Amino acid sequence: MAVDSETIVDAQTVQKSAFGERRFGHVNWLGLWTLYKKEVHRFIKVAFQTVFAPIISTLLFLLVFMGAWGARGNGIEMEGVTLAVTQFLPPGLIMMAILSNAFQNSSSSLIIAKVQGSLVDVLMPPLSAAELTVAFVAGAATRGLLVGFVTALTVFGFSLLGEPMQVVNIWPILYFSVQAAIFLGALGAIGGMWAEKFDQLALIQNFVITPLTFLSGTFYSMRSPWLPDWLLAFSHVNPVFYLIDGFRYGFIGVSDASPVTGAIVVMVLNVATCVLTYLLFKSGYKLKS
């Protein structure tokens, strides 16, 4: 029996009216918010391990350097200003905590989902590549900034043993901390998509993130006369150097490089890493195979 086109259209109309249509518009706000909350709740549930445990290593670094240099003894000289260890070191340690935890959150979330076979729960919902990128990076940035804030409060208490920490300009602190959290959150998502097991993820952490962090002026000034030429040259192509230097500028008012240059560099890098994260999600790189 022949079925005319009007009958087909009527049938489709009845089906739509019976089951309804899900309309999200350009952005699935509900799905985006749900995935973001999932990423935040994932580390909040084990806050003692993810938020408070990093404080221990930070305090150990601070205590060791205070003991080696003296809380009020030999300081670090920058642009003719001599800074105590308790003024120079804490900003770098706080930034280290932000960087490490932002990377760990997004990378571990994806690799755990791969290993446990639960990645389909993220890929099946109607979420675009841009929404996946925003949710994972924002969740990682939230953990990094939260750990950085808690670390800053704790380190400030210990800095009272020497010259206390000060805040010269709040805007560089806010700008570079947020940029750092986003940058490492995006890198963590890229690493989580690339890695297929925890050993590969540890490879990135140990041979990329850690060297970049330790060779970025966290524990010393780039104006120190004992620095070899190769390390000074490396610092100018090390993105973490600009993050730590700009962040420290907000506390002490002096920097090794121009804060404006650093702000531009990290902005460009953030755009590049976020775009790359988006493209990898869109292509399903090592996610849909």
Side-chain angles (χ1 to χ4, degrees), residues 33-74:
W33 176 246
T34 302
L35 181 56
Y36 168 75
K37 288 197 300 182
K38 168 188 170 295
E39 289 299 297
V40 173
H41 289 165
R42 195 178 67 86
F43 73 82
I44 290 294
K45 288 181 179 178
V46 286
F48 187 81
Q49 174 185 349
T50 57
V51 178
F52 297 104
I55 297 175
I56 304 301
S57 59
T58 301
L59 292 180
L60 288 175
F61 275 123
L62 183 60
L63 291 174
V64 167
F65 278 90
M66 285 174 61
W69 293 344
R72 294 180 181 271
N74 297 328

Side-chain angles (χ1 to χ4, degrees), residues 233-285:
F234 175 76
S235 67
H236 289 87
V237 296
N238 181 0
V240 180
F241 161 70
Y242 295 100
L243 290 169
I244 293 179
D245 191 54
F247 185 72
R248 181 182 285 128
Y249 171 77
F251 286 95
I252 63 178
V254 293
S255 60
D256 289 323
S258 169
V260 176
T261 301
I264 296 173
V265 169
V266 298
M267 175 62 76
V268 172
L269 288 173
N270 267 355
V271 172
T273 52
C274 287
V275 169
L276 178 58
T277 304
Y278 163 77
L279 293 176
L280 292 178
F281 271 124
K282 186 175 183 179
S283 66
Y285 176 71

Side-chain angles (χ1 to χ4, degrees), residues 14-112:
V14 171
Q15 184 179 13
K16 289 180 180 179
S17 62
F19 296 100
E21 288 183 308
R22 302 185 67 186
R23 299 182 182 275
F24 299 110
H26 294 292
V27 180
N28 180 1
W29 294 108
L30 177 60
L32 174 59
W33 176 246
T34 302
L35 181 56
Y36 168 75
K37 288 197 300 182
K38 168 188 170 295
E39 289 299 297
V40 173
H41 289 165
R42 195 178 67 86
F43 73 82
I44 290 294
K45 288 181 179 178
V46 286
F48 187 81
Q49 174 185 349
T50 57
V51 178
F52 297 104
I55 297 175
I56 304 301
S57 59
T58 301
L59 292 180
L60 288 175
F61 275 123
L62 183 60
L63 291 174
V64 167
F65 278 90
M66 285 174 61
W69 293 344
R72 294 180 181 271
N74 297 328
I76 297 91
E77 185 172 342
M78 294 182 64
E79 296 186 357
V81 179
T82 301
L83 301 166
V85 178
T86 50
Q87 292 177 314
F88 178 86
L89 198 59
L93 296 177
I94 296 169
M95 180 57 74
M96 279 183 58
I98 295 174
L99 296 171
S100 176
N101 284 274
F103 177 85
Q104 290 176 11
N105 197 78
S106 53
S107 61
S108 63
S109 179
L110 286 168
I111 193 66
I112 289 174

Side-chain angles (χ1 to χ4, degrees), residues 127-141:
L127 291 169
S128 66
E131 291 160 353
L132 291 173
T133 301
V134 171
F136 277 103
V137 173

